Amino acid sequence: MDNKIILKAEDLDGYLTQEDMSDLQSLEVMFKETMKSFDPVNEDKIIEGYDKLGHEMQKICSKHPAIKVYSFVTEEGAHAECSRVISKLRDIKTDHQEFMYYSQRAYEMLFRMAYTDQHSDKKGHIIVKTPVNFPVQNYAVHKIPDIDHKIENSAICVMLRGALLPSMIMSKEIQEYSSHGYKTPFALFKISRNDTKNEADMEYIMDLNKSFFNLEQLDGKDLIFADPMNATGGSLVTVVKYLQSQGVKPKSIAFFNTISTLKGSIRVTRALENCTCYTLWMDPVMNEKAYIMPGLGDAGDRLNGCDTKDAPRNMIQLIADYGHNISGLYKSQLYEIEKIVLG
């Protein structure tokens, strides 16, 4: 039975104000000017163009407190790490294993920005039994910020398929920082864009027959979405609006992205109440096919490898393809995913 939810691009644009449209247009003009230096390559002009774009995006984002960009809100000493991670993720030469490694670093940085960089002076303690047992068994004590109140009401919502590993990373970070070892519930949504459409008339299609979730586990929760790319914001808005139509009332929504566009971030924070977008890097524009520019390509393919059109892998197959190392590292998360998928 066909059981699909569809959101159209024109529904999203209704959340943009005239000022938003003017700001986005100014970025598009600036990026088109910068692209003139791509072929032939003029490095000095490219650097100059991106410097101007960065300053303009920072100025625009200052008007949107629910949009948190790593390089705009953290101390300057952290910016070099951010630039290095993003440059490796963007690089066409970065292979699959490296892409997974730098994705993990990206989401650890995003977690710190959202949950541990700004916290109270109250500390938690981790007491660790070490391998040293002479002359007596040794123990060590380590202090961590007490952020239980921020993380122990969380539920992870996965928008397949590039979002699977980032979602597991965020859940693992929550478990490690929770003084009670809190294990997040998972909800899995099969959502895709209609690639026959352009950005202006895009459709976002959620297949309920291939989605796995328990509405009771999501009601009143702090919903966390982790997706490498936020181009248009349409997938997130589709999922949350559907959940709300089913009676789910999120306490808050947090959207974590490696790269996002300003347009997608504005749409999301305007469309969804109490929603914050955390992004490691802001890119200025999309092309007419709704791909981020300069972007990093298809994050799902670079994380998970390419599917064949006739035989796309399901959730369990994707996890199996991650291999033993990933399965062992995220075993608690995999158990929660198996529970919701297999019932």
Side-chain angles (χ1 to χ4, degrees), residues 200-241:
D201 62 353
M202 185 62 68
E203 293 179 341
Y204 308 87
I205 306 161
M206 184 166 71
D207 189 340
L208 294 177
N209 292 334
K210 296 181 180 178
S211 299
F212 305 91
F213 53 88
N214 181 335
L215 294 174
E216 292 181 0
Q217 289 184 328
L218 304 178
D219 192 29
K221 287 289 198 293
D222 297 303
L223 302 185
I224 293 175
F225 294 78
D227 197 326
M229 312 287 280
N230 173 24
T232 66
S235 295
L236 177 69
V237 174
T238 302
V239 171
V240 175
K241 290 294 187 184

Side-chain angles (χ1 to χ4, degrees), residues 135-296:
V136 295
Q137 176 62 59
N138 274 232
Y139 293 85
V141 175
H142 298 276
K143 294 181 180 180
I144 60 171
D146 182 357
I147 56 171
D148 288 351
H149 63 289
K150 293 183 179 181
I151 60 177
E152 290 191 351
N153 187 51
S154 300
I156 301 289
C157 299
V158 185
M159 297 187 296
L160 299 181
R161 54 184 217 118
L164 175 58
L165 184 59
S167 299
M168 290 162 59
I169 294 168
M170 291 298 293
S171 177
K172 177 78 169 178
E173 290 292 293
I174 288 170
Q175 183 182 2
E176 294 295 315
Y177 273 93
S178 164
S179 62
H180 308 101
Y182 176 70
K183 299 173 186 175
T184 64
F186 276 78
L188 313 174
F189 301 95
K190 181 69 171 71
I191 188 160
S192 58
R193 303 193 314 193
N194 183 346
D195 285 335
T196 67
K197 303 282 187 178
N198 289 329
E199 194 269 328
D201 62 353
M202 185 62 68
E203 293 179 341
Y204 308 87
I205 306 161
M206 184 166 71
D207 189 340
L208 294 177
N209 292 334
K210 296 181 180 178
S211 299
F212 305 91
F213 53 88
N214 181 335
L215 294 174
E216 292 181 0
Q217 289 184 328
L218 304 178
D219 192 29
K221 287 289 198 293
D222 297 303
L223 302 185
I224 293 175
F225 294 78
D227 197 326
M229 312 287 280
N230 173 24
T232 66
S235 295
L236 177 69
V237 174
T238 302
V239 171
V240 175
K241 290 294 187 184
Y242 168 75
L243 292 176
Q244 290 174 331
S245 76
Q246 299 304 299
V248 172
K249 296 179 180 179
K251 182 180 178 183
S252 70
I253 299 164
F255 194 23
F256 291 91
N257 312 116
T258 304
I259 292 178
S260 64
T261 66
L262 183 62
K263 186 174 186 178
S265 298
I266 293 175
R267 279 170 159 178
V268 162
T269 53
R270 286 268 173 73
L272 305 175
E273 185 179 357
N274 201 14
C275 175
T276 305
C277 282
Y278 299 94
T279 186
L280 206 58
W281 201 269
M282 181 75 75
D283 270 2
V285 296
M286 289 174 278
N287 61 23
E288 65 178 22
K289 287 293 185 181
Y291 292 122
I292 299 174
M293 295 195 298
L296 54 72

Side-chain angles (χ1 to χ4, degrees), residues 112-155:
R112 289 201 306 270
M113 176 174 69
Y115 295 111
T116 69
D117 281 358
Q118 298 177 347
H119 57 82
S120 68
D121 291 333
K122 187 178 178 183
K123 295 287 194 294
H125 295 87
I126 302 174
I127 300 177
V128 182
K129 183 178 180 179
T130 82
V132 178
N133 56 17
F134 182 84
V136 295
Q137 176 62 59
N138 274 232
Y139 293 85
V141 175
H142 298 276
K143 294 181 180 180
I144 60 171
D146 182 357
I147 56 171
D148 288 351
H149 63 289
K150 293 183 179 181
I151 60 177
E152 290 191 351
N153 187 51
S154 300

